[in-house]
């Protein structure tokens, strides 16, 4: 059954099990966040390459807001969001207050999958990224390096892939296609 969900856009994807900081500028985005929290509604986050590209987004993630702070640079609200579940977007609709809502359907969670020998480069390189960038490690206090689904979702959050490619990979019901895609990228770097 479809449900109406307030939507925020971001320049990065977040997936279940992931945590990212989201900048919430004053205006529509802040109004949407406040409305969702005030009314106890699930909040959806979608990636769009630009404001004009949101029509092409068809997969998003429900998030929980875990923490917030104010940016010292510009006073913008920054929230720590944790991805909880994926959803597919049926339709978008804009409310009178310029908030964007979408009719969404929850998607099944990617099943946990043990890392096999072939997939081990994904583990090694992500661990190396976590060591090189301590802010990643700080955001992901609980890691699941032995869970291939968790690994593939973190790679999709981190890699600078076109939105359409990420959307196609996110739409799958398991991590298999994403694993194959990531491994082919690592074997044949562009």
């Amino acid at each position: 059954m479809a449900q109406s969900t307030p939507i925020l856009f971001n320049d990065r994807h977040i997936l279940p099990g992931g945590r990212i900081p989201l900048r919430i500028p004053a205006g529509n985005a802040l109004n949407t966040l406040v409305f969702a929290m005030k009314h106890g509604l699930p909040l959806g986050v979608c990636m769009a390459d630009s404001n004009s590209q949101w029509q092409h987004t068809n997969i998003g993630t429900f998030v929980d807001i875990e923490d917030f702070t104010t940016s010292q640079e510009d006073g913008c609200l920054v929230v720590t969001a944790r991805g909880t579940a994926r959803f597919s977007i049926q339709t978008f609709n804009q409310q009178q207050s310029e908030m964007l809502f979408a009719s969404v359907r929850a998607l099944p969670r990617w099943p946990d999958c043990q890392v096999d020998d072939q997939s081990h480069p994904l583990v090694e390189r992500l661990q190396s990224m976590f060591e090189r960038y301590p802010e990643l490690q700080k955001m992901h206090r609980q890691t699941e390096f032995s869970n291939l689904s968790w690994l593939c979702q973190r790679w999709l959050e981190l890699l600078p892939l076109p939105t359409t490619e990420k959307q196609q990979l996110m739409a799958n019901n398991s991590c298999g296609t994403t694993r194959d895609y990531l491994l082919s990228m690592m074997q044949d770097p562009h």
Side-chain angles (χ1 to χ4, degrees):
M1 185 167 121
Q3 70 182 63
S4 184
T5 300
I7 301 292
L8 291 176
F9 285 95
N10 188 39
D11 59 355
R12 295 173 44 198
H13 273 102
I14 181 170
L15 291 161
R19 296 176 78 235
I20 63 170
L22 293 176
R23 295 179 56 77
I24 311 291
N28 297 344
L30 183 58
N31 293 343
T32 300
L33 175 67
V34 168
F35 184 87
M37 295 184 83
K38 183 177 179 179
H39 293 90
L41 297 173
L43 183 62
V45 173
C46 299
M47 180 181 178
D49 291 328
S50 68
N51 287 338
S52 63
Q53 293 297 313
W54 63 266
Q55 303 94 330
H56 305 292
T57 300
N58 51 14
I59 303 288
T61 303
F62 291 116
V63 297
D64 287 338
I65 304 302
E66 294 185 332
D67 198 5
F68 65 92
T69 188
T70 305
S71 169
Q72 294 179 357
E73 295 172 13
D74 60 7
C76 186
L77 179 66
V78 179
V79 299
T80 301
R82 181 177 53 84
T84 59
R86 297 175 306 132
F87 58 80
S88 65
I89 297 169
Q90 310 302 301
T91 59
F92 283 107
N93 56 43
Q94 197 134 11
Q95 302 292 322
Q96 289 178 339
S97 59
E98 299 299 314
M99 292 184 289
L100 189 64
F101 281 68
S103 177
V104 304
R105 287 190 195 278
L107 293 172
R109 182 176 178 267
W110 282 3
D112 291 346
C113 181
Q114 286 296 109
V115 173
D116 58 13
D117 289 342
Q118 180 185 4
S119 304
H120 208 270
L122 297 173
V123 175
E124 293 169 347
R125 291 191 180 174
L126 190 61
Q127 285 175 331
S128 175
M129 293 273 294
F130 273 46
E131 290 169 13
R132 202 172 323 149
Y133 301 100
E135 61 275 12
L136 281 176
Q137 197 162 9
K138 183 179 175 185
M139 288 301 286
H140 295 89
R141 291 174 250 159
Q142 295 180 326
T143 57
E144 297 180 44
F145 288 110
S146 62
N147 181 352
L148 189 57
S149 290
W150 185 87
L151 282 170
C152 288
Q153 289 174 337
R154 300 302 67 82
W155 278 114
L156 284 178
E157 291 171 344
L158 293 171
L159 289 175
L161 302 172
T163 301
T164 53
E165 284 183 42
K166 284 190 182 191
Q167 291 278 305
Q168 290 171 350
L169 293 168
M170 289 169 58
N172 290 301
N173 289 326
S174 71
C175 66
T177 303
T178 301
R179 181 210 51 206
D180 294 344
Y181 179 87
L182 294 169
L183 288 172
S184 71
M185 281 183 59
M186 289 180 183
Q187 291 170 356
D188 184 24
H190 303 350

